[in-house]
Amino acid sequence: MYYYSFNFQWLPMTQELSFQKFIEQSDLLGELKYDFNEKAEFRHTETQRPFVFNYYENVLEKNSKRYQALGHLLEQYIYELLEKVCKLQKVYIPPEADEEEPRSFFFMSEKALTNHHSALLVLLQDHGVFRAGQWSQQAIVHHGLQHGSQIPCIQMALQAHYDVMVLNPNDNFVELKMEKEWQGLLTQNIESSSLKMVPGGSFFSLQHPPKCIPKRCSNTPEEHMAYIWDYFISKTEGKDIAFIVHGYGGLVFMDLLVRRRWEVMSKVYAVALIDSEHHVGHQLGSDVQLLAWIKHHCREWVTSPKPLDKPAATVFKKEFPMVSAGTEKYSLAPSSSLQSIFKYFKKALKARTTINFSQMPIVTRGSTKRKQSA
């Protein structure tokens, strides 16, 4: 049985790509003496111990804001890794928007839209505070980049000759008050969509609630997905497309399937759902064609005490095959099931290629002569 190599050497721990660089360029150096070690684990730079939330003893508000600040620094760090380690391109949407307008963005490999000889893998994460390149912020902090970030998945896909598209479904609005208050958080050479600080103040002085301005074409995860499908993915010709969706990402994919049914059914050859929050009854109803399609093109990995890949169907969800993700921890399900998902993709793509080839017209001598005489 073939297994994709799970190599963590994708993260060159150089000073240039060090997480400490982001902390040093903020006002948080005293509160966040952490970096990723050679195993991509998040550790204290002096004690080498895991992250401690309760930095300010039993002061929940201060500790929460410190953790929030950490999350926004991680966001920027992951963006840099996507560009510099994975060699992905950042694409702003909508492209025609003025630079002053709040815009969302996503990442994709250089030839994702033009290389017709490779499959395209689209990554769609759960809802929450995390942005492109993250499955779980909590998993990044407590278990490392190899479990919480999408980088191992991206590298595995590139190694298997996929093109990759990393969506950013939770980047839906700009928080005006926060933008003004975090002006000193990151220096100008780091492109910042993160929270910023009041000059002369501290990040503990943040007040709630901030005023929000929606980002056009990305007001919701569903709108973000639909826009990228319509203006990017749908324009690819002859490209086989696969999705990995986690949590709410499963609901977003099903929403896309209902909205763009014929395009999705013709272009997408496999969908790997991980602890999906979709609801077939509410979203697909009794649509016979859609139900038949998901039965043959979807598989779900769910948190379970059972070993990886063991059947794990429930009486509530049995519209397509369900197997164990090999873990009972929700935040670790994407990394735990990754090898299994790529084996599923390989088998599904082989089956699709075989079907497409079998449907090609067979050219015979007789048909050639008839064509020449016509």
Side-chain angles (χ1 to χ4, degrees), residues 16-17 31 47 49-50 59 70 86 109 150 165 185 193 227 234 241 251 287 329 354 371:
E16 181 184 358
L17 297 181
E31 292 80 12
T47 66
R49 291 185 177 182
V59 184
L70 170 62
C86 301
S109 47
Q150 296 175 344
M165 193 170 284
L185 181 61
S193 63
Y227 183 88
S234 68
I241 300 168
L251 185 148
D287 191 307
K329 294 184 177 181
T354 301
K371 186 175 181 181

Side-chain angles (χ1 to χ4, degrees), residues 89-256:
Q89 298 178 338
K90 180 188 279 188
V91 181
Y92 285 93
I93 57 173
E96 74 278 3
D98 187 277
E99 289 186 6
E100 299 300 318
E101 179 184 347
R103 293 189 295 172
S104 185
F105 54 87
F106 67 98
F107 295 85
M108 66 179 179
S109 47
E110 183 180 2
K111 297 181 179 179
L113 304 180
T114 58
N115 185 1
H116 305 310
H117 302 291
S118 66
L120 173 66
L121 176 61
V122 183
L123 304 185
L124 186 58
Q125 70 266 50
D126 196 9
H127 57 69
V129 297
F130 32 89
R131 300 293 189 259
Q134 301 181 51
W135 292 122
S136 166
Q137 183 177 301
Q138 182 186 42
I140 291 174
V141 172
H142 296 290
H143 300 282
L145 288 168
Q146 69 270 36
H147 293 289
S149 83
Q150 296 175 344
I151 296 173
C153 178
I154 295 167
Q155 290 296 86
M156 194 177 289
L158 295 174
Q159 180 183 342
H161 307 293
Y162 284 81
D163 284 308
V164 179
M165 193 170 284
V166 181
L167 304 194
N168 205 6
N170 300 316
D171 184 32
N172 307 129
F173 52 82
V174 172
E175 299 177 350
L176 272 190
K177 185 175 179 62
M178 307 291 255
E179 281 286 326
K180 293 176 181 178
E181 292 187 349
W182 286 64
Q183 295 257 328
L185 181 61
L186 297 174
T187 53
Q188 291 183 355
N189 63 320
I190 301 175
E191 191 171 345
S192 176
S193 63
S194 67
L195 300 182
K196 298 178 182 177
M197 240 170 149
V198 177
S202 78
F203 69 96
F204 300 121
S205 65
L206 296 178
Q207 302 296 318
H208 297 286
K211 183 179 179 181
C212 300
I213 296 181
K215 294 188 176 182
R216 184 157 61 99
C217 305
S218 191
N219 288 352
T220 64
E222 291 86 345
E223 186 179 51
H224 181 86
M225 175 75 260
Y227 183 88
I228 292 175
W229 178 274
D230 290 343
Y231 289 89
F232 295 92
I233 301 175
S234 68
K235 299 187 184 303
T236 61
E237 294 182 6
K239 205 169 183 70
D240 297 310
I241 300 168
F243 275 78
I244 299 180
V245 298
H246 183 216
Y248 192 80
L251 185 148
V252 173
F253 175 80
M254 293 298 176
D255 178 77
L256 178 73

